[in-house]
Amino acid sequence: METSNPTVNDFSKSQYPPPEDNSEERLKPSKNTLSRRSFLGKSLAVGAGTIGAGLLASTPTAKARGGLTPGDAALLRFAAAAEILETDFWVQYNELGGVQDSEVPGGSGNPDYTEALEVLDEDMAIYIHDNTDDEFTHQNFLNAYLVSKGAAPADLEQFRTLPGSTATGSSGKLRLTNLTQLTLDTSWWTRYRSDTKNPDFGDTFPQAVPTLAVGQHTAIPRTDADTTDPNFLQAIANTAAFHFPTIEQGGNSLYPSMAQRATHVEVLRILISIGPTETMHFQTWSDKAGNAPPLTAVDPVTGVSVTFPDLANVGEDLQKSLIMPEPCPFLSRNLPPCSIIRPTETKGVAMGTLKFLTDMGLFIGQSPAFFALMNQLARAADAARHGR
């Protein structure tokens, strides 16, 4: 979407009054912005000194007049940027496979894709719509809160340059994220079903859908041609069904990990209040992913093959009905197992999130300046410490 043609999911600094303005409108989440999760990038520091420093230089340096420490502001700004990005790809899903209404406008729906998604659950369109709406509120609230405290918001509008789907139902607007070349890590499936391992101890886990972890797969129909083969279209819908929980389990861990570094009690309250909604999203989508019909399909454009196994027959410990987190080791293997979110290790969490999203292929086509800014935001969040 282009900033010259504002839409419900556009974000610009002009939407919020300056800090001196005490209008209550600053705190109202208007659906005119974007934001969400995070990712790494080694030294794509090209331009970091200009873009990142420019944004961070406008941030108050001690306890801001609104009470935020620089660290608190960095944590919330990274969360806002992550939410902007998440909102961007959820909008794409909603345009093609969600409910079309004034609450989440933009597309007109793709009947064939919607029908393929409904194979997993007849209410998929409603769930996609509501998840999209939630992400709008997260990005809008976080940026409005930052501005209300005299801190700079996250603004990624200049990077809205990626073409999206041209299939029936898409708005055709430019995007921040790429849903057509995804490489998905589905090890969360086995991680949450293990009662002996925890990634915070360095443990690793096998993939639920190994073929999604190699090659590049599209989670939306790129053109109407992608809807002509029912088997391939179902593979696209299945890929989306696994992308949903893959993303949401990331936020599921990000918020409690960042909360451990917060100083101001209100910032802590924000992080531990938004985080559980990501957990609700994750559990919903992990349940739906288990309904993906087993199949093998070959992408007619790229030649990449994907195989979705029958998750009803993968052994007692990994069966699809196990959507409650199994108890696992926590803090020390000498303590009793505990049912928890994992991981919640806080060291390097923002850079780790950035790497996770980058490795997924979500930013294929983005500029070095984009990665430079995201690295700046992630490093600033990871540098946050309680008390400063």
Side-chain angles (χ1 to χ4, degrees), residues 18-101:
E20 292 77 17
D21 184 343
N22 293 320
S23 166
E24 294 180 359
E25 291 300 311
R26 289 180 308 192
L27 298 177
K28 291 181 182 177
S30 68
K31 291 192 174 180
N32 300 325
T33 58
L34 305 122
S35 118
R36 198 302 186 270
R37 232 137 310 215
S38 34
F39 15 71
L40 163 71
K42 287 229 169 164
S43 262
L44 285 161
V46 189
T50 20
I51 301 172
L55 179 122
L56 299 176
S58 62
T59 307
T61 52
K63 280 196 177 177
R65 46 194 161 178
L68 291 184
T69 64
D72 281 349
L75 291 171
L76 294 180
R77 192 176 298 109
F78 180 74
E83 295 289 352
I84 287 172
L85 293 164
E86 189 176 19
T87 301
D88 178 77
F89 66 69
W90 275 112
V91 164
Q92 296 180 63
Y93 283 126
N94 193 72
E95 287 183 1
L96 295 168
V99 174
Q100 314 302 317
D101 62 13

Side-chain angles (χ1 to χ4, degrees), residues 314-331:
V314 289
E316 182 179 355
D317 293 339
L318 300 179
Q319 60 187 283
K320 65 182 184 180
S321 59
L322 296 177
I323 63 170
M324 308 293 182
E326 288 295 305
C328 71
F330 181 46
L331 299 182

Side-chain angles (χ1 to χ4, degrees), residues 72 145 262-270 272:
D72 281 349
Y145 183 83
T263 294
H264 196 289
V265 67
E266 195 166 73
V267 173
L268 175 62
R269 182 180 179 184
I270 290 170
I272 64 174

Side-chain angles (χ1 to χ4, degrees), residues 103-370:
E103 193 172 44
V104 185
S108 57
N110 186 293
D112 294 328
Y113 182 58
T114 302
E115 184 177 350
L117 288 167
E118 287 176 346
V119 168
L120 287 86
D121 190 289
E122 62 182 10
D123 292 325
M124 286 289 275
I126 297 172
Y127 295 148
I128 290 171
H129 171 279
D130 287 356
N131 205 137
T132 307
D133 185 45
D134 286 356
E135 306 309 345
F136 268 122
T137 68
H138 292 169
Q139 68 166 30
N140 294 349
F141 177 85
L142 289 166
N143 266 336
Y145 183 83
L146 283 163
V147 171
S148 77
K149 298 299 183 181
D155 184 357
L156 304 180
E157 279 307 296
Q158 65 181 303
F159 303 114
R160 192 172 296 285
T161 59
L162 303 182
S165 170
T166 61
T168 298
S170 172
S171 67
K173 294 173 180 172
L174 294 176
R175 317 292 184 176
L176 292 166
T177 57
N178 185 341
L179 296 180
T180 66
Q181 295 174 272
L182 298 178
T183 303
L184 300 184
D185 179 350
T186 58
S187 62
W188 53 266
W189 180 278
T190 51
R191 182 198 322 151
Y192 273 94
R193 288 165 171 76
S194 171
D195 59 4
T196 60
K197 295 181 178 181
N198 183 332
D200 282 334
F201 293 123
D203 297 330
T204 58
F205 305 84
Q207 301 288 326
V209 186
T211 51
L212 281 180
V214 295
Q216 297 177 343
H217 308 272
T218 186
I220 55 175
R222 296 159 294 199
T223 67
D224 283 337
D226 283 341
T227 66
T228 58
D229 177 353
N231 188 61
F232 179 58
L233 181 58
Q234 191 61 57
I236 294 175
N238 286 9
T239 299
F242 275 92
H243 185 223
F244 299 165
T246 298
I247 283 291
E248 297 301 329
Q249 61 83 30
N252 182 52
S253 290
L254 177 65
Y255 279 95
S257 297
M258 292 199 303
Q260 297 172 64
R261 293 176 177 264
T263 294
H264 196 289
V265 67
E266 195 166 73
V267 173
L268 175 62
R269 182 180 179 184
I270 290 170
L271 294 173
I272 64 174
S273 296
I274 292 178
T277 68
E278 304 291 346
T279 303
M280 295 172 73
H281 295 163
F282 169 54
Q283 187 170 51
T284 297
W285 294 125
S286 62
D287 184 33
K288 304 314 168 193
N291 296 332
L295 61 82
T296 295
V298 176
D299 189 323
V301 175
T302 65
V304 172
S305 177
V306 63
T307 296
F308 292 91
D310 183 354
L311 293 171
N313 296 298
V314 289
E316 182 179 355
D317 293 339
L318 300 179
Q319 60 187 283
K320 65 182 184 180
S321 59
L322 296 177
I323 63 170
M324 308 293 182
E326 288 295 305
C328 71
F330 181 46
L331 299 182
S332 168
R333 295 192 189 274
N334 294 323
L335 294 171
C338 185
S339 181
I340 56 163
I341 298 302
R342 63 262 209 182
T344 54
E345 168 60 54
T346 187
K347 183 178 180 181
V349 61
M351 289 297 285
T353 303
L354 181 57
K355 182 180 188 305
F356 167 70
L357 295 180
T358 302
D359 289 349
M360 185 184 296
L362 205 58
F363 309 122
I364 290 174
Q366 272 293 359
S367 66
F370 169 84

